[in-house]
């Protein structure tokens, strides 16, 4: 094959990509225009005099996550109603106010991360997720415990759940860091296999740097896995997230 053929193919691919980009831009603009029109009507219906919705990021890029501004003299109940009405428009993502005082909530199930946190801590108060010595292989008893942990975390789906691995002071710290990270990853995978979405789980390892309060760094009880719910973000697919949806 001559060198001209690959160049022609490359040019064709670039032309196709540019054409797709050119088509996507107007479609995105039309989509945002529709959201702006619908949100203006929703704001008026909710009594949000003086409130506007800006569907753009801080850098000016189009966004389906509107920022509401104005209406500072409105009652909090009205501001909350305005935010919820805008949020309920199909295609709209999270809604916030420019002053950060109110965030829209959907009518979906209310997640209570603190309750889940307490349930997991209760499970781990008298038991611990254990591994073979110097290894990331789970002991059989820990697999049963992880079933219970997954059940306790299930009501918090949509939240970001941090999984942190800890070790005692035995061994070198680089080795401890690597082992604690690997154990956290093993626990994350175990939770995924039990139905907890991967994108809501964050695994990290801190080695022996954070011993349990009141324990010597060398105490074996420092070998542990800790969980914390660090953010709540209810998930709701929209036409933007679901190609072909109407």
């Amino acid at each position: 094959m001559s060198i001209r053929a690959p160049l022609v193919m490359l040019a064709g691919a670039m032309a196709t990509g540019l054409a797709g980009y050119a088509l996507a831009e107007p479609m995105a603009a039309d989509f945002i225009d529709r959201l702006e029109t619908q949100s203006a009507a929703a704001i008026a219906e909710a009594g949000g005099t003086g409130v506007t919705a800006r569907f753009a990021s801080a850098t000016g890029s189009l966004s389906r996550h509107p920022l509401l501004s104005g209406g500072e003299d409105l009652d909090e109940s009205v501001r909350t109603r305005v935010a919820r009405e805008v949020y309920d428009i199909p295609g709209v993502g999270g809604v916030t106010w420019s002053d950060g005082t109110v965030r829209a909530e959907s009518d979906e199930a209310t997640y209570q991360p603190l309750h889940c946190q307490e349930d997991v801590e209760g499970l781990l108060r008298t038991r611990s997720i254990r591994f073979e010595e110097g290894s990331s292989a789970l002991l059989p008893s820990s697999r049963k415990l992880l079933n219970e942990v997954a059940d306790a975390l299930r009501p918090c789906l949509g939240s970001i759940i941090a999984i942190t691995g800890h070790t005692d002071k035995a061994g070198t710290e680089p080795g401890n860091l690597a082992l604690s990270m690997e154990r956290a990853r093993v626990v994350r995978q175990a939770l995924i296999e039990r139905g907890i979405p991967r994108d809501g789980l964050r695994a990290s390892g801190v080695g022996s740097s954070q011993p349990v309060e009141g324990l010597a760094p060398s105490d074996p009880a420092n070998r542990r896995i800790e969980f914390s719910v660090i953010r709540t973000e209810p998930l709701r697919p929209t036409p933007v997230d679901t190609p072909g949806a109407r």
Side-chain angles (χ1 to χ4, degrees):
M1 180 182 291
S2 69
I3 191 170
R4 178 178 177 80
L7 289 175
V8 171
M9 293 171 63
L10 176 60
M14 291 178 64
T16 301
L18 289 172
Y21 177 79
L23 289 173
E25 283 299 300
M27 289 176 65
D30 290 345
F31 177 75
I32 295 300
D33 286 344
R34 176 175 65 79
L35 294 184
E36 288 179 342
T37 300
Q38 292 179 328
S39 65
I43 290 169
E45 181 70 20
T49 304
V51 176
T52 58
R54 181 173 184 266
F55 287 82
S57 67
T59 60
S61 301
L62 298 180
S63 171
R64 66 184 182 86
H65 301 273
L67 184 68
L68 304 183
S69 59
E72 289 81 2
D73 296 331
L74 296 175
D75 291 340
E76 278 309 296
S77 60
V78 176
R79 287 163 61 86
T80 300
R81 185 165 64 249
V82 166
R84 287 179 176 170
E85 289 294 326
V86 173
Y87 182 85
D88 286 338
I89 297 171
V92 170
V95 179
T96 56
W97 286 85
S98 58
D99 58 9
T101 55
V102 178
R103 179 168 185 156
E105 298 175 355
S106 70
D107 293 330
E108 300 169 16
T110 300
Y111 301 106
Q112 299 186 24
L114 182 60
H115 177 65
C116 293
Q117 180 86 40
E118 290 175 345
D119 287 348
V120 172
E121 289 177 353
L123 289 171
L124 300 179
R125 193 165 291 128
T126 57
R127 294 178 289 170
S128 60
I129 298 171
R130 301 184 65 82
F131 303 83
E132 293 182 8
E133 187 174 356
S135 166
S136 60
L138 285 163
L139 293 178
S141 60
S142 294
R143 297 185 183 278
K144 181 179 179 181
L145 177 55
L146 278 169
N147 290 339
E148 299 177 49
V149 169
D151 288 341
L153 290 174
R154 214 171 304 282
C156 292
L157 295 187
S159 299
I160 301 299
I161 300 165
I163 305 166
T164 306
H166 300 261
T167 68
D168 57 24
K169 195 67 174 176
T172 65
E173 195 55 20
N176 290 336
L177 281 170
L179 181 59
S180 62
M181 183 67 206
E182 183 58 29
R183 285 176 171 176
R185 287 172 175 162
V186 166
V187 170
R188 178 180 62 186
Q189 183 58 36
L191 292 177
I192 292 169
E193 292 170 358
R194 288 160 175 77
I196 306 300
R198 177 185 295 273
D199 58 4
L201 300 173
R202 302 288 184 272
S204 64
V206 295
S208 63
S209 64
Q210 298 177 22
V212 175
E213 185 176 356
L215 293 182
S218 58
D219 194 312
N222 287 306
R223 305 170 190 166
R224 68 197 191 279
I225 295 287
E226 292 184 340
F227 298 86
S228 59
V229 180
I230 58 178
R231 183 165 62 90
T232 301
E233 189 68 36
L235 303 177
R236 183 181 69 172
T238 71
V240 173
D241 303 316
T242 311
R246 295 288 185 270

